[in-house]
Amino acid sequence: MNQWRRFQFFDTSEVKEEGTNSPLHISPKYDLGCCTSGHGTLIFGDGEGNIHLLGRDFKPVTFRAFDVRVIRVQQRISQNVLIAVGEDQAGDDVLITHLKIWSLDKEGKDGGPLLVRIQKIFPSKYPQDQITCFTALDDMSQIAIGLANGAVILYRGDLMRDRLANKHKLLCPTGPSPITGLWFRSSGKDAILFVTTPTSIASYFTGNKSDRRVELNDAFGCDLNCSVLTPTNQDLVVGRTEAVYFYMADECGPCYGLEGVKHFVSWFRGYLVVVSSEQTSTANVANHLHIHDLQNKFIAYSGTFPDIKGLLCEFGSIFVITGDRKVCQLKERDTQTKLETLFKKNLYGIAINLAMGQDYDQNVVIDIYRKYGDHLYAKGDYDAAVDQYVKTIGRLEPSYIIRKFLDAQRTQNLTQYLQALHERSLATSDHTTLLLNCYTKLKDTQHLNEFIEDNSLHFDIDTAVSVLRQAGYYKHALSLAKRNSQRSHYLSILLEDTHDYAEALDYIWTLPFDQALAEIDRHGRSLVKFIPDRATALLMELCTNYTPKNPKETKNSANHEKSNTHLEGVLAYAVTGFTQFINVVKGEGLSSESEKFIVEPTVAETLVAYADKHKPRAKPEDFIHIYVGHSDWLMVFLEYLVTKDPDHCSELVYNTLLELYLKNDETNENQN
């Protein structure tokens, strides 16, 4: 801890007498070893049985608490209740030690706080001894009293209402060392009592009345005033000459090396406060006060005071009472002042943790991340800079960061930032374009694959496909388009980029009727031009009895071969001339020789002999324009339809087929 960064985040001032410039002196009557604080009050007991309550003005309000003297006082945090132990006169030379409880919110008959409970501490079977410390649960259901002979007396019950005469237990028997610290740790119905002596540290599970003891350390303990319970985690903190140790309910926690004889260990607003010196004796010895931020690992304050006798935390400050009974106030600086100090030293990491620990406005925290990123960027540490910029996503305009990395030609870092934008679903189409361009520029196929295959990412599919096509990553573009049902993009890539016409037709054949019809209308000419046989087969089905194929079925290459053979046969038949067409018109059908091309089609798995009258069918005349320049295949197409479903064929279909036959005959005559 001595190597941690040191700051002066606390301002020190000497407390003055009200209305004067003279230093305030705590009354010599007050016992500085018998003091506490809470609920806007500093509380001192004295050797005459009085308790003194000091407000912000340090003017005391005094009331008589005991006949003889006040031994220990404690202010409860959860309620404005004062608990004290002291001695009362029971007769000539007879003293009785009592525990008394006052409600500081109510006034008693004597004008002081209302006394709500008196309890004799030492039952007859317990020998009376010097009380060194005591503590109580916040719900006032248990109280523990430590003695100089090493014993601990535990009382159970409602301390505010019940008489506790028969509800006590000697929790810890007498031993060689006095009790130096008692602290209750509570969680629901569970209660754990930490007990320290100069030679040991233990915990007792008192919530279930089993009072099970756990020996946390049997080698050493701590002195009086050198232990404290952390408010949040309720861990016990113990200060020793070589270090500060943390203990949980039944095991040891971390320790921090901090040399020096410890005189006080306290806790203030998440800070560990330690008073130490180089010598064992505290008389006229300079004491060092350090305030540690354990979470952020820095020292928030370091100061030296002459002979510290008391340490109290109240009014948002730490009050140090020195041997000459002067009072010094340590007041924490506001967070903004601390942040500015850290900014000047470029300690942005500490600044971020500090702001977050103070629940600062999120916009302020984001701005610190930006400043940290700018600082790292200016140093040329681009990798670390982008880590900070990523944390600004959602608050800081992305163009601010993008411009920086574009100007510096740091494509790798820009890619990391753009990836984070997409992961948070905050990317625009421009961001997607830029990210994919980064991948292709870096030739980072692995991350490109991960990006397009990650279904949790949300981005503009159209933009992504277009960028991949432009970069020549057709395989990736196809995968992305198909997985996201972008059939228009998928077919455009197959037909225009990879020229895989068979795959395009197979894909169309798997689509529902309406979609297949739309895509044939869009791409039919290309398909007829390059694979006229299979394209014609699909058009025949669309006009008769279309059934979408299973995608696996379209991969059967044997079917492709059968389809080719069959359609070539049909074409051979088609060019036989006009006579066959007249037979069809007359209703006589095809000749037996030609009929075999239809009756025994080798594309039988995909073409159904008779159309289902309830299925939607395309109009043959809508596809005539597709066959421009391919009259032979148009003849095959139309002849099949007028044979299989003459009633569905319009006059235009018959006329077109007649023209084809006439033209074909004319061509044959000219050749002859």
Side-chain angles (χ1 to χ4, degrees), residues 31 57 78 141 183 229 233 321 425 511 562 586 613 616 665 671:
D31 183 356
D57 57 3
S78 59
S141 63
W183 301 93
L229 196 72
N233 298 328
I321 304 173
S425 300
L511 298 175
K562 291 180 182 179
K586 292 179 178 180
K613 300 300 182 181
D665 285 347
Q671 289 177 351

Side-chain angles (χ1 to χ4, degrees), residues 41-79:
T41 307
L42 304 180
I43 302 172
F44 296 88
D46 65 23
E48 298 177 355
N50 298 311
I51 291 180
H52 311 274
L53 310 177
L54 281 68
R56 285 182 177 274
D57 57 3
F58 282 85
K59 290 184 177 180
V61 175
T62 303
F63 68 94
R64 188 74 170 172
F66 297 90
D67 296 335
V68 180
R69 70 186 180 106
V70 183
I71 300 174
R72 289 286 183 270
V73 291
Q74 191 174 106
Q75 169 76 50
R76 304 312 301 153
I77 297 175
S78 59
Q79 48 189 315

Side-chain angles (χ1 to χ4, degrees), residues 553-571:
E553 186 181 349
T554 63
K555 299 300 181 182
N556 191 333
S557 59
N559 285 346
H560 296 173
E561 294 175 2
K562 291 180 182 179
S563 175
N564 292 342
T565 303
H566 165 67
L567 289 171
E568 288 172 2
V570 174
L571 177 58

